Each structure stands twice: as C-alpha cells, then as structure tokens.
Amino acid sequence: MARAAFRKGIAEGLPFIIVMVPFGALFGVLASEAGLPIGQIMAFSIVVVAGAAQFTAVHLMSDGAPWAIVLLSALAVNLRMAMYSASMVPWLGEAPLWQRGLIAYLLVDQTYALSAQAYETERAWRVRDRVVYFAGTALPVFPAWVGATWAGAALGARIPEEWALDFAMPLAFLALVGPMLRTRAHVVAAAVSLSLALALVWVPWNLGLIVAAACAMAAGAETERRA
C-alpha cells in the first residue's frame, strides 16, 4: 500500500509544476532585480521554501522597509503554516521525529492541500502510507520551485515582460483555496480577508495584509464557535 500511496502522491503533485515553474522563475527575476546575488536568492528559496513570504520580503526590501517590518510581514504571511501543522498532527503525529522534521520543512500550500484531502479520503492508510504519500507530493513540487528560482535568477531581466510570469501566484492560490472553502467559517474568513485587503491597500509596506489576515482568522473562528 505504501508504494501505491507514493505513486499517488507523485501523480497528484505533478500538475502543480504548471504553476510552480513560473512562480519560482518570477521570484528569481524579482530577487535578481532587487540586487540579491544568485547565491542569496537560492539560499532564500532553499531555506525558506515559502513563495508568498519570499515575495513579500523581496518587495519590502526593494521599497527600503526596515528589517523589523520585513521579518514581521514575512512571518505574518507564513502564519498559516502553523495552522497547517496543527491539522497534520492527527494524521502524522506518530511518525518518527526525523520524518516529522522533513515534513515540516516541505510543508507548503500544495503539499498540505493534497495531503489534507487525501488523508480524509484514504482512512485505511497507516502512518507510513501517509508519510510516503506526502513525500510523493513534495517530489515534483520542491525541485520545480528550486530549479525555476535558479532559472529566473540566472536569466534575470532577459525574460521578456510580455511573458507575464506574475500570473502564477494568484492562479496557484486560487487553485488551492477554492476547493478548501467547504464551510461557512471558511467562506466568512475568505470574504473578510478579501474585503479588508482591498480596503487597506493604501497602508504602507503591505501592513494592511497583516490586519486583514488577523481579522479574517478572528471572523472565521467566531463563525465556527457560533456554529
């Protein structure tokens, strides 16, 4: 069963290459234009492994924002990873520590969305099956992200603007978030987040996003409590 779960993970992770490649290439281009050397750009993607947080940090660095704002904003964008981790505990909490460490490192939106759905569906899977499924989802996603980052950083400004690589970021998040809006609390949180993010777009250094995220989580939690 473990081999079948691993193959299933690879098969379901492969389609995300379509968005991961332009997504990673765009980050490489933007980071290069921001003045980061290719070594730092690659370290950024390999160590952080969080596209949205990386884009946020690079944009703020380009705008000359204080380091405290850069770190706070990147951490705020990545707060969702804490929620992802908590929801994985019932399924993977009994895995060995080194496996949980690798899973935590490779836990991104794509691997989480696929795994959360698969674990709900495949109730007969053992912990080992769940771990290898997760590994299968990460196998195409992580190399695509790192490789595309290198390509974008190496090519830099030579990538034509008309290619519009920035389409990948909203497309990736829409593909992930849309199917996960299954309850009223989810919908309320998404609506509050969207409304406030647009209303607070004028706030400097993208701090409006932090306010919108905090209010959205509070609204979703309150809706869940009342239900």
Side-chain angles (χ1 to χ4, degrees):
M1 186 178 291
R3 289 185 180 180
F6 183 67
R7 289 194 297 267
K8 177 180 173 69
I10 294 175
E12 294 183 350
L14 278 173
F16 281 102
I17 292 179
I18 298 173
V19 292
M20 293 302 291
V21 168
F23 197 15
L26 177 61
F27 173 75
V29 171
L30 293 179
S32 178
E33 292 178 349
L36 294 178
I38 191 167
Q40 292 183 9
I41 295 172
M42 296 309 300
F44 212 154
S45 278
I46 293 172
V47 173
V48 179
V49 200
Q54 292 177 217
F55 275 97
T56 300
V58 167
H59 279 301
L60 291 173
M61 290 163 62
S62 300
D63 292 341
W67 276 103
I69 297 296
V70 174
L71 292 175
L72 176 63
S73 299
L75 288 172
V77 170
N78 257 15
L79 276 177
R80 69 191 188 281
M81 297 301 169
M83 294 182 284
Y84 290 174
S85 299
S87 70
M88 290 286 99
V89 171
W91 305 109
L92 301 171
E94 296 180 2
L97 179 60
W98 68 271
Q99 292 182 358
R100 284 181 280 136
L102 287 175
I103 290 169
Y105 172 66
L106 296 170
L107 186 65
V108 295
D109 297 293
Q110 292 80 9
T111 56
Y112 169 75
L114 291 173
S115 298
Q117 184 174 1
Y119 297 162
E120 288 286 349
T121 304
E122 303 289 347
R123 295 279 182 165
W125 278 358
R126 300 165 298 171
V127 173
R128 181 169 179 264
D129 303 323
R130 297 173 192 140
V131 169
V132 297
Y133 173 83
F134 184 94
T137 65
L139 187 60
V141 169
F142 182 72
W145 170 250
V146 174
T149 298
W150 178 85
L155 294 174
R158 284 176 287 180
I159 295 181
E161 291 187 6
E162 56 267 23
W163 285 19
L165 296 178
D166 53 346
F167 84 94
M169 189 190 304
L171 182 63
F173 279 99
L174 285 173
L176 290 168
V177 173
M180 298 178 71
L181 300 179
R182 296 192 293 264
T183 68
R184 182 178 298 177
H186 295 160
V187 175
V188 169
V192 170
S193 176
L194 175 61
S195 302
L196 288 180
L198 292 175
L200 299 175
V201 70
W202 55 271
V203 178
W205 299 327
N206 289 329
L207 292 178
L209 292 177
I210 298 178
V211 176
C215 292
M217 287 189 287
E222 178 62 17
T223 302
E224 186 74 20
R225 186 188 68 83
R226 295 192 178 192

